[in-house]
Short mmCIF file of all heavy atoms in Angstrom, two decimals:
data_model
loop_
_atom_site.label_atom_id
_atom_site.label_comp_id
_atom_site.label_asym_id
_atom_site.label_seq_id
_atom_site.Cartn_x
_atom_site.Cartn_y
_atom_site.Cartn_z
N SER Q 27 7.99 21.12 15.39
CA SER Q 27 7.56 20.95 14.01
C SER Q 27 7.83 19.53 13.56
O SER Q 27 8.90 18.98 13.81
CB SER Q 27 8.30 21.93 13.11
OG SER Q 27 7.80 21.83 11.79
N MET Q 28 6.84 18.91 12.95
CA MET Q 28 7.01 17.56 12.41
C MET Q 28 6.33 17.50 11.06
O MET Q 28 5.43 18.31 10.77
CB MET Q 28 6.42 16.52 13.36
CG MET Q 28 4.97 16.68 13.67
SD MET Q 28 4.41 15.60 15.02
CE MET Q 28 4.98 16.51 16.46
N ASN Q 29 6.77 16.56 10.20
CA ASN Q 29 6.16 16.52 8.89
C ASN Q 29 5.95 15.10 8.41
O ASN Q 29 6.45 14.13 9.00
CB ASN Q 29 6.96 17.33 7.88
CG ASN Q 29 8.31 16.72 7.61
OD1 ASN Q 29 8.41 15.67 6.99
ND2 ASN Q 29 9.35 17.36 8.09
N CYS Q 30 5.24 15.01 7.33
CA CYS Q 30 4.81 13.73 6.78
C CYS Q 30 4.91 13.85 5.26
O CYS Q 30 4.41 14.82 4.68
CB CYS Q 30 3.37 13.47 7.20
SG CYS Q 30 2.85 11.78 7.05
N THR Q 31 5.55 12.89 4.62
CA THR Q 31 5.69 12.94 3.17
C THR Q 31 5.30 11.61 2.55
O THR Q 31 5.33 10.57 3.20
CB THR Q 31 7.15 13.26 2.75
OG1 THR Q 31 8.00 12.23 3.25
CG2 THR Q 31 7.59 14.60 3.29
N SER Q 32 4.95 11.69 1.28
CA SER Q 32 4.57 10.49 0.55
C SER Q 32 5.05 10.61 -0.88
O SER Q 32 5.22 11.70 -1.40
CB SER Q 32 3.04 10.34 0.57
OG SER Q 32 2.64 9.28 -0.27
N SER Q 33 5.25 9.48 -1.53
CA SER Q 33 5.60 9.50 -2.94
C SER Q 33 4.36 9.64 -3.82
O SER Q 33 4.45 9.85 -5.02
CB SER Q 33 6.36 8.22 -3.32
OG SER Q 33 5.57 7.08 -3.01
N SER Q 34 3.18 9.50 -3.20
CA SER Q 34 1.92 9.61 -3.93
C SER Q 34 1.11 10.76 -3.37
O SER Q 34 1.34 11.20 -2.25
CB SER Q 34 1.10 8.32 -3.78
OG SER Q 34 1.88 7.19 -3.99
N ILE Q 35 0.17 11.24 -4.15
CA ILE Q 35 -0.68 12.32 -3.66
C ILE Q 35 -1.79 11.77 -2.77
O ILE Q 35 -2.19 10.60 -2.90
CB ILE Q 35 -1.29 13.14 -4.82
CG1 ILE Q 35 -2.18 12.24 -5.70
CG2 ILE Q 35 -0.21 13.82 -5.63
CD1 ILE Q 35 -2.92 13.03 -6.78
N PHE Q 36 -2.25 12.60 -1.86
CA PHE Q 36 -3.35 12.25 -0.99
C PHE Q 36 -4.45 13.29 -1.09
O PHE Q 36 -4.18 14.47 -1.31
CB PHE Q 36 -2.87 12.11 0.46
CG PHE Q 36 -2.24 10.78 0.74
CD1 PHE Q 36 -0.94 10.51 0.34
CD2 PHE Q 36 -2.96 9.78 1.38
CE1 PHE Q 36 -0.37 9.27 0.57
CE2 PHE Q 36 -2.39 8.54 1.62
CZ PHE Q 36 -1.08 8.28 1.22
N ASN Q 37 -5.69 12.85 -0.92
CA ASN Q 37 -6.83 13.76 -1.00
C ASN Q 37 -7.07 14.51 0.30
O ASN Q 37 -7.57 15.63 0.30
CB ASN Q 37 -8.10 12.97 -1.32
CG ASN Q 37 -8.20 12.63 -2.78
OD1 ASN Q 37 -7.53 13.23 -3.62
ND2 ASN Q 37 -9.02 11.66 -3.10
N THR Q 38 -6.80 13.83 1.40
CA THR Q 38 -7.06 14.36 2.73
C THR Q 38 -5.87 14.06 3.62
O THR Q 38 -5.31 12.96 3.53
CB THR Q 38 -8.31 13.69 3.36
OG1 THR Q 38 -9.43 13.84 2.49
CG2 THR Q 38 -8.65 14.28 4.71
N TRP Q 39 -5.49 15.04 4.45
CA TRP Q 39 -4.45 14.80 5.46
C TRP Q 39 -5.07 15.03 6.84
O TRP Q 39 -5.78 16.01 7.05
CB TRP Q 39 -3.28 15.76 5.28
CG TRP Q 39 -2.39 15.45 4.11
CD1 TRP Q 39 -2.48 15.96 2.86
CD2 TRP Q 39 -1.28 14.55 4.09
NE1 TRP Q 39 -1.49 15.44 2.05
CE2 TRP Q 39 -0.73 14.57 2.78
CE3 TRP Q 39 -0.68 13.73 5.05
CZ2 TRP Q 39 0.36 13.80 2.41
CZ3 TRP Q 39 0.42 12.97 4.68
CH2 TRP Q 39 0.93 13.00 3.38
N LEU Q 40 -4.77 14.11 7.73
CA LEU Q 40 -5.27 14.20 9.10
C LEU Q 40 -4.10 14.08 10.06
O LEU Q 40 -3.13 13.37 9.78
CB LEU Q 40 -6.28 13.07 9.38
CG LEU Q 40 -7.44 12.92 8.40
CD1 LEU Q 40 -8.15 11.58 8.61
CD2 LEU Q 40 -8.44 14.06 8.59
N TRP Q 41 -4.21 14.76 11.19
CA TRP Q 41 -3.21 14.62 12.24
C TRP Q 41 -3.88 14.14 13.52
O TRP Q 41 -4.90 14.69 13.94
CB TRP Q 41 -2.49 15.95 12.50
CG TRP Q 41 -1.50 16.26 11.42
CD1 TRP Q 41 -1.70 17.00 10.29
CD2 TRP Q 41 -0.13 15.83 11.37
NE1 TRP Q 41 -0.56 17.03 9.55
CE2 TRP Q 41 0.43 16.34 10.18
CE3 TRP Q 41 0.68 15.06 12.21
CZ2 TRP Q 41 1.75 16.10 9.80
CZ3 TRP Q 41 2.00 14.82 11.85
CH2 TRP Q 41 2.53 15.34 10.67
N TYR Q 42 -3.28 13.11 14.13
CA TYR Q 42 -3.81 12.49 15.34
C TYR Q 42 -2.77 12.58 16.45
O TYR Q 42 -1.56 12.63 16.20
CB TYR Q 42 -4.09 11.00 15.12
CG TYR Q 42 -5.36 10.66 14.40
CD1 TYR Q 42 -5.45 10.71 13.01
CD2 TYR Q 42 -6.49 10.25 15.11
CE1 TYR Q 42 -6.62 10.36 12.36
CE2 TYR Q 42 -7.66 9.89 14.46
CZ TYR Q 42 -7.71 9.95 13.09
OH TYR Q 42 -8.88 9.60 12.45
N LYS Q 43 -3.26 12.52 17.70
CA LYS Q 43 -2.38 12.38 18.86
C LYS Q 43 -2.82 11.17 19.67
O LYS Q 43 -4.03 10.96 19.88
CB LYS Q 43 -2.43 13.62 19.76
CG LYS Q 43 -1.49 13.51 20.94
CD LYS Q 43 -1.75 14.57 21.97
CE LYS Q 43 -0.80 14.37 23.16
NZ LYS Q 43 -1.27 15.02 24.38
N GLN Q 44 -1.83 10.40 20.12
CA GLN Q 44 -2.11 9.24 20.95
C GLN Q 44 -1.47 9.43 22.32
O GLN Q 44 -0.24 9.54 22.43
CB GLN Q 44 -1.58 7.96 20.30
CG GLN Q 44 -1.89 6.70 21.08
CD GLN Q 44 -1.31 5.46 20.42
OE1 GLN Q 44 -0.30 5.51 19.73
NE2 GLN Q 44 -1.96 4.32 20.63
N ASP Q 45 -2.28 9.46 23.35
CA ASP Q 45 -1.78 9.49 24.72
C ASP Q 45 -1.46 8.07 25.16
O ASP Q 45 -2.05 7.11 24.65
CB ASP Q 45 -2.82 10.10 25.67
CG ASP Q 45 -2.98 11.58 25.45
OD1 ASP Q 45 -1.98 12.25 25.14
OD2 ASP Q 45 -4.12 12.08 25.59
N PRO Q 46 -0.55 7.91 26.11
CA PRO Q 46 -0.19 6.56 26.58
C PRO Q 46 -1.42 5.77 27.02
O PRO Q 46 -2.25 6.27 27.77
CB PRO Q 46 0.75 6.85 27.75
CG PRO Q 46 1.34 8.19 27.44
CD PRO Q 46 0.26 8.96 26.75
N GLY Q 47 -1.54 4.54 26.52
CA GLY Q 47 -2.63 3.65 26.93
C GLY Q 47 -3.97 3.95 26.29
O GLY Q 47 -4.99 3.36 26.69
#
Side-chain angles (χ1 to χ4, degrees):
Chain Q
S27 185
M28 59 190 79
N29 67 70
C30 198
T31 61
S32 173
S33 57
S34 313
I35 61 174
F36 278 79
N37 281 342
T38 304
W39 286 94
L40 307 166
W41 285 93
Y42 281 81
K43 182 193 178 200
Q44 182 181 29
D45 289 325

